[in-house]
Amino acid sequence: MAQAERERMSVVMFPWLAHGHINPYLELARRLTAVTSHLDVVVHLVSTPANLAPLACHQTDRINLVSLHLPSSSLPDLPPALHTTKRLPARLMPALKRACDLAAPRFGALLDGLRPRPDVLLYDFFAHCLQNARGVPAVHFSTCSAAATAFFAHCLQNERVPRAFPFEAISLGGPDEDAKYTALLAIRCDGGTALVPDPLRVELVVEHLAGSGHGGS
């Protein structure tokens, strides 16, 4: 009887396709589902089969691993085994980001198929997929510290005309090292192939947070 009276909450988590991002989300999922109160939380952790295969042992009746299949036909150099940053050649990182952007409609269909309807979506890098969030409230959960995120965003938004980060205590070792990092980002970000360039991707996340009133970590 007590179980039937508990309020149920459905949470969808969509971290970037790197285990350094997935693991913090998985830890959050464990904590949310372990809470013993009036709230009964079920988490749907979304990623590609290549990322979920090693996590099979973590699936429970409250943590559901949900596969999102990225389109492969238009990206022949990116087979399903490489739908992850693990062992991904650096030259294919732009292709992986493009595949994720192209998968936005599939992500929307995935949300449509979840029952009960999700109450909230946690994401960290896929602002493009928010266009297919089906009206589910979205919250940005960053796996990086606020300082690191601010520094990264500053470098991306000033890649053409590098400017020093306004807080001198946060640096890679000085203006010269910061400039090298910014130049590296300009080369490696998307190679001109991503549907959403990285600087714009950061801006979309920030705009979504400001426009929705939802916070980030």
Side-chain angles (χ1 to χ4, degrees), residues 166-189:
F167 302 96
E168 294 182 1
I170 301 175
S171 171
L172 295 178
D176 291 342
E177 292 300 317
D178 292 353
K180 290 179 184 178
Y181 179 66
T182 301
L184 180 64
L185 285 176
I187 295 172
R188 295 182 57 188
C189 276

Side-chain angles (χ1 to χ4, degrees), residues 50-68:
N51 278 321
L52 294 181
L55 305 179
C57 61
H58 297 291
Q59 178 149 311
T60 68
D61 59 339
R62 293 191 178 189
I63 299 179
N64 181 31
L65 304 181
V66 183
S67 293
L68 176 67

Side-chain angles (χ1 to χ4, degrees), residues 14-26 45-48 50-51 55 83-88 93 96 100 124-126 143:
F14 193 10
W16 169 234
L17 307 179
H19 285 285
H21 288 243
I22 295 171
N23 288 337
Y25 274 71
L26 184 58
L45 181 64
V46 179
S47 194
T48 59
N51 278 321
L55 305 179
H83 290 175
T84 171
T85 61
K86 188 175 183 179
R87 292 189 290 272
L88 181 74
M93 183 63 76
L96 182 62
C100 290
D124 68 348
F125 196 66
F126 295 110
T143 57

